[in-house]
């Protein structure tokens, strides 16, 4: 059951990372306008938090590390 939960957390983190990354890249690199500073900070925060959540779920799914 914990493996399933870890996999779901990893997928959620991957989705948040992809969404945050797309928000950062879509403006300047894909021909659109750049985001406002507040929106860019929110997208960058989502990207970084998504990476942390993704790896937390991946470690949970793989079953490695210390048991707390």
């Amino acid at each position: 059951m914990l493996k399933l939960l870890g996999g779901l957390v990893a997928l959620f983190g991957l989705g948040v990372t992809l969404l945050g990354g797309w928000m950062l890249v879509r403006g300047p690199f894909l021909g659109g306008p750049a985001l406002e500073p507040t929106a860019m900070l929110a997208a960058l925060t989502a990207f970084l938090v998504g990476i942390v959540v993704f790896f937390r779920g991946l470690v949970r799914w793989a079953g490695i590390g210390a048991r707390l």
Side-chain angles (χ1 to χ4, degrees):
M1 186 67 177
L2 286 177
K3 254 188 145 144
L4 178 64
L5 182 63
L8 290 174
V9 169
L11 286 176
F12 176 74
L14 184 62
V16 170
T17 301
L18 290 174
L19 181 66
W22 181 78
M23 290 295 292
L24 288 171
V25 170
R26 75 174 175 97
F29 298 108
L30 297 178
L35 293 174
E36 294 182 17
T38 305
M40 190 173 293
L41 183 62
L44 180 61
T45 302
F47 180 76
L48 294 175
V49 168
I51 288 175
V52 170
V53 170
F54 169 70
F55 279 109
R56 173 70 176 148
L58 191 65
V59 166
R60 250 344 227 195
W61 176 77
I64 56 177
R67 299 280 182 207
L68 296 177

